[in-house]
Amino acid sequence: GCIQLSARPRIINTVNAVPVNHVARVVVAAALNPLPGGVHVVHVTGHPRLRMNEYLSLLEFYGFKVPEVSYDAWKDELERYVSAGGQEKDQEQHALMPLYHFCVDDLPATTRAPELDDRNAIKILKADAEGWTGTDESAGYGISREDVGRFLRYLAETKFVSWPSERGRALPEVNLSAVQMQTAGVLGGRGASST
């Protein structure tokens, strides 16, 4: 959505984003290393946790022209884009359209992620290192610049977003087979082929 608007909102809330392979690691470790005393909650949290403005600034790091603007200015631009008539609106549906009401209803106030207690995740990952893997992964993981770059590369390769138009770091390579590319083109949505 920010790429389509050519702007990103300044929102300083933290984003609790964790790579899926770490989430899977915690799930398996919890199954193999149950904590004593019954059922427990195991929170998975990102380490480190980026702020939304840091996360969105990676778009410019990779060459997308999306200067930071106030949330109110960004929201106004989103409302203009969505309510535009004629050819501008018909070119493509806005990526944030399914979340439109969420985005224009005080996003900074409604996206505050709570600080979760991940002590149980740390315990089971330490137990997993001792009993199974030999590798202590209890420090956790967060989403890195390279992760975001790979996400953007995939979205550009599958034509869900445009390629970067400004100077920036090259998007990291992703290995997509011809079958994966063909499948992505027929799934539907903005990146699908129009056949």
Side-chain angles (χ1 to χ4, degrees), residues 92-126:
E92 64 182 352
Q93 182 181 11
H94 196 278
L96 294 175
M97 194 59 185
L99 302 171
Y100 174 74
H101 292 290
F102 179 68
C103 290
V104 297
D105 188 28
D106 198 8
L107 195 59
T110 59
T111 59
R112 291 196 174 113
E115 293 295 329
L116 301 174
D117 180 354
D118 63 351
R119 286 181 289 180
N120 286 340
I122 291 168
K123 286 178 192 172
I124 63 165
L125 289 170
K126 286 188 177 292

Side-chain angles (χ1 to χ4, degrees), residues 116-162:
L116 301 174
D117 180 354
D118 63 351
R119 286 181 289 180
N120 286 340
I122 291 168
K123 286 178 192 172
I124 63 165
L125 289 170
K126 286 188 177 292
D128 202 52
E130 291 174 20
W132 298 95
T133 65
T135 305
D136 184 354
E137 300 284 4
S138 65
Y141 291 89
I143 299 293
S144 69
R145 271 194 222 171
E146 292 75 26
D147 293 327
V148 173
R150 282 191 296 276
F151 303 154
L152 292 169
R153 177 66 179 247
Y154 173 81
L155 293 172
E157 289 281 358
T158 58
K159 298 178 177 62
F160 192 81
V161 300
S162 60

